[in-house]
Amino acid sequence: EAQVTQNPRYLITVTGKKLTVTCSQNMNHEYMSWYRQDPGLGLRQIYYSMNVEVTDKGDVPEGYKVSRKEKRNFPLILESPSPNQTSLYFCASSSVGPSYPAGQPQHFGDGTRLSIL
Amino acid sequence: TQLLEQSPQFLSIQEGENLTVYCNSSSVFSSLQWYRQEPGEGPVLLVTVVTGGEVKKLKRLTFQFGDARKDSSLHITAAQPGDTGLYLCAGLPSGSWGKLQFGAGTQVVVTP
């Protein structure tokens, strides 16, 4: 089954303790991205990757890191989490970047709810 | 600041009524998409519009892309409880390669 898998689904942790949220897709997609969703703000893009070893900042990259060493995986790293990073996080992928051709459907994972105390 | 402004933020209607959700911007978009999100799940694509003035229909849902490619609307005819969800518009600003923009969403509740 074609899917985007995020782990963990839920995590409660403390300020400053490094954490990684994994994202894996089995559709051989080139484009992957991370979003955070907060009430009243919708989805805001954190980082995106057009292909292996090609990553770029979205609108809210501060406090986050990503890597794209393999096509299928795109982990999100919080080196020193802080309470303002408490949020619902989504990973998404599409076959190619959103402009090739215009409007590629984004396939989303089921989300990771992160609480940082 | 949200590049894509959605209105209304919340809509509660009775089954059988019609509704329209709007997605507006002062910027031009290469394409615009509408997603629906249900609790505990990621958004799921409903439609993509790419041409100014384009109208697409998906059963009881009608999507329109403004002539200037700065706005879009989603109209639901004879809403059903299964239409309940968070509707999100998303767009690729003209000249952007990979930085997708999402609106804040419209929560639609359809009661029987």
Side-chain angles (χ1 to χ4, degrees), chain A:
Chain A
E1 181 192 346
Q3 58 187 4
V4 177
T5 304
Q6 295 178 226
N7 279 297
R9 291 292 313 277
Y10 304 91
L11 179 63
I12 301 174
T13 187
V14 295
T15 299
K17 186 176 179 184
K18 180 180 177 180
L19 67 92
T20 300
V21 184
T22 63
C23 174
S24 181
Q25 49 91 5
N26 62 0
M27 296 169 278
N28 201 36
H29 283 173
E30 290 186 355
Y31 180 87
M32 297 185 75
S33 59
W34 276 103
Y35 299 86
R36 59 178 289 173
Q37 187 173 33
D38 302 289
L41 296 176
L43 286 158
R44 292 181 292 165
Q45 195 176 48
I46 303 170
Y47 270 94
Y48 64 93
S49 169
M50 298 292 276
N51 214 324
V52 175
E53 302 290 5
V54 181
T55 61
D56 210 343
K57 296 177 181 177
D59 287 324
V60 288
E62 296 78 19
Y64 304 94
K65 282 174 60 175
V66 293
S67 68
R68 187 96 183 270
K69 296 191 172 78
E70 309 162 281
K71 203 169 190 179
R72 63 184 293 127
N73 296 323
F74 190 44
L76 179 70
I77 302 153
L78 285 71
E79 294 267 2
S80 184
S82 63
N84 64 11
Q85 292 176 298
T86 292
S87 187
L88 179 58
Y89 290 85
F90 285 99
C91 179
S93 73
S94 61
S95 55
V96 290
S99 61
Y100 300 112
Q104 287 296 305
Q106 299 297 306
H107 299 264
F108 284 84
D110 284 335
T112 294
R113 189 165 287 285
L114 214 50
S115 292
I116 299 159
L117 308 176

Side-chain angles (χ1 to χ4, degrees), chain B residues 12-79:
Chain B
S12 180
I13 60 170
Q14 300 270 45
E15 183 175 0
E17 293 182 337
N18 301 332
L19 68 98
T20 303
V21 176
Y22 300 93
C23 177
N24 295 304
S25 177
S26 56
S27 301
V28 175
F29 284 82
S30 303
S31 63
L32 232 147
Q33 298 177 315
W34 285 93
Y35 290 81
R36 183 168 69 209
Q37 183 180 17
E38 301 195 20
E41 298 179 7
V44 175
L45 180 71
L46 295 172
V47 80
T48 299
V49 285
V50 298
T51 306
E54 184 175 1
V55 176
K56 277 192 174 177
K57 291 194 176 185
L58 192 68
K59 296 183 182 175
R60 295 175 294 99
L61 278 61
T62 302
F63 304 86
Q64 188 159 8
F65 200 13
D67 291 339
R69 291 186 290 134
K70 291 182 179 183
D71 56 85
S72 181
S73 64
L74 155 61
H75 182 79
I76 302 180
T77 304

